[in-house]
């Protein structure tokens, strides 16, 4: 199975000559550095997240910002990721999950109230959670990117009009730091970005893209501030649930990607990767093999993710008793806390059932 992942770069600090760090522990450079700050003190600062750390690729002469993590009294270090790309990747992942959940609805919904099909509550709640998370991280992606592309020496002439009679128009010059803190998102994207030198971003030509991004901002504000129930309808969080239930989030994901790549070509790159190596797989090819014993085997498997591939035979459809029986048992297993979650997807030649466990369930 293929999943899509965003290519995430490390935060590059500077480019130096190759082989610059061809030094050993007895070199004068190392001795001088240790005189200024003993190794013990440096380790102490790292543990307190106070040390500035750089990882140097000596072969290519590339220096990257590093981040450290202390776990069980051990210090781990890695290249700090580009957070704009990381935020986008989280949104991309969440949207893929919501699509998987939506594909599962057919198999777990019960038909009631005419055309309305009721969905199992835990799965439906997780579907809503993933969509909310995707919206928040799409907003974070654009906000972080705009702050990233504003030059350090950029000055924004903010224009304000007044009806008080004291002045007709007032222009306040704002620095990058002041823009980041005090200028609204909408003003940043519509007025600040077009003024940044060398970007050549035409706001009117890309009005559709910007419009979708501003929709994300509005619904994100609703999510963050959670205004209670409406006075007229008495419905809680009506705007949030209406947006989540009616909008195709992939269109908003696409708008964010296009906006960023128009300004910085190929900043967001998406790869497809094969995730078949990251799970325990069980293959079912014959009707006689699809029985309750398979589910007992799933309970025994000590893996967080198990994929059941059910090859289609002539009578096997999504409405077959075989499939309904599998799902009924999975539901029971979830209620008994033997598994955490499950998804089902239909392909032309097979059904794919993904089953998830937590750490407690695989002990």
């Amino acid at each position: 199975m293929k999943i899509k992942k965003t290519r995430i770069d490390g935060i590059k600090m500077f480019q130096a000559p190759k082989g610059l760090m061809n030094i050993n522990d007895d070199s004068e450079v190392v001795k001088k550095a240790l005189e200024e700050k003993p190794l013990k003190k440096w380790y102490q600062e790292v543990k307190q997240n106070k040390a500035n750390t750089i990882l140097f690729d000596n072969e290519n002469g590339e220096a990257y910002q590093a981040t450290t993590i202390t776990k069980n009294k051990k210090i781990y270090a890695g290249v700090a990721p580009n957070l704009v790309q990381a935020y986008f990747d989280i949104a991309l992942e969440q949207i893929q999950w919501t699509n998987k959940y939506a594909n599962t609805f057919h198999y777990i919904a019960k038909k009631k109230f005419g055309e309305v099909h009721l969905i199992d509550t835990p799965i439906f709640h997780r579907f809503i959670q993933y969509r909310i998370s995707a919206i928040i991280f799409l907003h974070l992606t654009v906000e972080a990117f705009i702050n990233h592309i504003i030059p350090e020496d950029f000055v924004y002439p903010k224009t304000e009009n007044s009806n008080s009679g004291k002045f007709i128009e007032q222009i306040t010059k704002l620095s990058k730091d002041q823009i980041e803190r005090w200028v609204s998102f909408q003003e940043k994207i519509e007025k600040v970005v077009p003024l940044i030198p060398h970007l050549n971003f035409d706001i009117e030509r890309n009005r559709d893209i910007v419009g979708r991004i501003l929709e994300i901002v509005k619904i994100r504000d609703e999510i963050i501030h959670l205004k209670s129930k409406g006075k007229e309808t008495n419905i809680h969080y009506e705007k949030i649930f209406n947006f989540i239930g009616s909008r195709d989030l992939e269109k908003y994901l696409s708008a964010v990607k296009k906006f960023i790549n128009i300004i910085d070509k190929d900043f967001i790159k998406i790869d497809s990767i094969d995730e078949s190596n990251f799970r325990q797989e069980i293959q079912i090819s014959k009707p006689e093999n699809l029985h309750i014993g398979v589910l007992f085997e799933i309970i025994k498997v000590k893996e967080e993710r198990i994929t059941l591939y059910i090859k289609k035979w002539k009578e096997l459809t999504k409405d077959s008793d075989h499939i309904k029986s599998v799902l009924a048992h999975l539901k029971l297993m979830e209620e008994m806390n033997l598994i955490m979650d499950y998804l089902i997807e239909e392909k032309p030649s097979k059904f794919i059932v993904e089953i998830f466990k937590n750490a407690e369930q695989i002990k």
Side-chain angles (χ1 to χ4, degrees):
M1 182 178 291
K2 298 288 184 181
I3 59 171
K4 293 180 179 179
K5 293 292 293 179
T6 308
R7 218 176 286 178
I8 300 176
D9 301 320
I11 299 177
K12 188 174 179 179
M13 303 290 287
F14 57 85
Q15 179 71 45
K18 296 179 181 180
L20 179 68
M21 300 299 287
N22 283 336
I23 53 178
N24 54 52
D25 292 342
D26 297 324
S27 69
E28 291 301 317
V29 175
V30 172
K31 288 179 181 178
K32 186 175 180 181
L34 291 176
E35 285 176 7
E36 294 178 1
K37 183 180 292 187
L39 202 56
K40 186 176 180 180
K41 185 177 180 181
W42 183 83
Y43 283 146
Q44 197 173 38
E45 289 183 356
V46 167
K47 289 180 180 179
Q48 297 171 350
N49 295 316
K50 293 180 179 178
N52 294 315
T53 312
I54 294 175
L55 291 179
F56 192 79
D57 183 346
N58 202 39
E59 185 177 339
N60 298 311
E62 297 171 332
Y64 291 92
Q65 179 178 324
T67 186
T68 57
I69 295 173
T70 304
K71 179 71 174 177
N72 298 329
K73 297 182 180 180
K74 290 184 179 179
I75 302 171
Y76 302 92
V79 174
N82 182 304
L83 288 182
V84 178
Q85 294 168 336
Y87 292 159
F88 184 88
D89 187 58
I90 293 172
L92 173 63
E93 181 182 41
Q94 303 304 309
I95 289 172
Q96 289 178 93
W97 275 108
T98 66
N99 290 339
K100 286 187 176 186
Y101 276 109
N103 290 335
T104 304
F105 289 166
H106 171 86
Y107 303 94
I108 63 174
K110 297 177 181 178
K111 189 173 182 179
K112 290 187 178 181
F113 308 119
E115 295 299 316
V116 179
H117 296 72
L118 295 183
I119 304 167
D120 177 68
T121 296
I123 286 182
F124 188 66
H125 286 181
R126 283 189 281 272
F127 169 78
I128 297 294
Q129 287 175 270
Y130 281 127
R131 287 177 75 81
I132 287 173
S133 177
I135 289 167
I136 290 172
F137 277 98
L138 283 177
H139 170 267
L140 284 174
T141 300
V142 183
E143 179 94 59
F145 178 73
I146 290 175
N147 291 341
H148 164 72
I149 62 175
I150 298 174
E152 293 296 331
D153 59 352
F154 179 77
V155 176
Y156 169 53
K158 181 179 175 63
T159 303
E160 295 177 280
N161 297 314
S162 173
N163 296 321
S164 66
K166 293 182 180 180
F167 61 88
I168 298 174
E169 185 178 87
Q170 178 174 291
I171 297 177
T172 306
K173 293 183 178 180
L174 302 179
S175 67
K176 174 183 171 74
D177 182 63
Q178 291 167 331
I179 295 166
E180 291 175 353
R181 290 173 178 268
W182 308 117
V183 176
S184 71
F185 182 93
Q186 184 167 353
E187 187 174 353
K188 283 181 185 178
I189 198 170
E190 290 189 325
K191 295 184 178 180
V192 175
V193 169
L195 293 178
I196 297 175
H198 313 301
L199 289 190
N200 299 319
F201 183 76
D202 189 325
I203 190 77
E204 294 307 322
R205 184 181 296 177
N206 297 291
R207 179 56 67 180
D208 288 346
I209 293 173
V210 172
R212 286 196 186 278
I213 291 172
L214 293 179
E215 283 185 64
I216 284 288
V217 176
K218 288 179 181 178
I219 201 63
R220 174 264 180 194
D221 290 344
E222 293 284 339
I223 291 169
I224 295 297
H225 299 298
L226 279 186
K227 296 174 184 176
S228 191
K229 53 190 176 184
K231 294 179 180 178
E232 297 179 1
T233 63
N234 208 34
I235 299 295
H236 289 272
Y237 320 131
E238 187 172 8
K239 291 181 181 178
I240 297 172
F241 291 125
N242 285 347
F243 188 97
I244 287 172
S246 64
R247 305 303 175 90
D248 181 355
L249 292 188
E250 289 196 7
K251 291 181 179 179
Y252 294 90
L253 183 84
S254 176
V256 170
K257 180 174 180 281
K258 285 178 181 177
F259 170 76
I260 291 174
N261 284 349
I262 287 170
I263 292 173
D264 191 342
K265 188 178 180 182
D266 293 333
F267 187 92
I268 298 291
K269 290 183 179 180
I270 297 176
D271 296 323
S272 291
I273 64 172
D274 190 342
E275 60 172 355
S276 60
N277 295 327
F278 302 97
R279 66 181 77 199
Q280 177 76 33
E281 296 182 0
I282 299 174
Q283 304 280 348
I284 302 293
S285 58
K286 298 177 181 179
E288 56 266 28
N289 295 334
L290 188 59
H291 51 74
I292 195 169
V294 173
L295 301 176
F296 286 131
E297 288 301 316
I298 289 170
I299 295 172
K300 293 179 184 178
V301 173
K302 303 300 181 182
E303 298 288 345
E304 290 187 357
R305 188 170 184 179
I306 305 157
T307 303
L308 183 63
Y309 291 98
I310 306 171
K311 186 178 179 181
K312 283 185 177 178
W313 53 84
K314 188 176 180 181
E315 296 82 13
L316 189 67
T317 69
K318 59 187 178 184
D319 297 312
S320 298
D321 288 341
H322 280 93
I323 297 297
K324 290 179 180 178
S325 176
V326 169
L327 292 170
H329 283 103
L330 288 173
K331 173 64 178 171
L332 180 61
M333 290 163 69
E334 182 187 39
E335 291 173 351
M336 294 174 66
N337 197 35
L338 298 173
I339 63 172
M340 183 179 69
D341 209 347
Y342 58 94
L343 298 166
I344 185 166
E345 181 180 7
E346 183 177 5
K347 295 290 186 181
S349 62
K350 60 192 170 186
F351 289 95
I352 303 172
V353 183
E354 294 186 87
I355 300 157
F356 303 88
K357 296 183 179 182
N358 58 32
E360 184 68 25
Q361 292 160 352
I362 61 175
K363 282 184 179 179

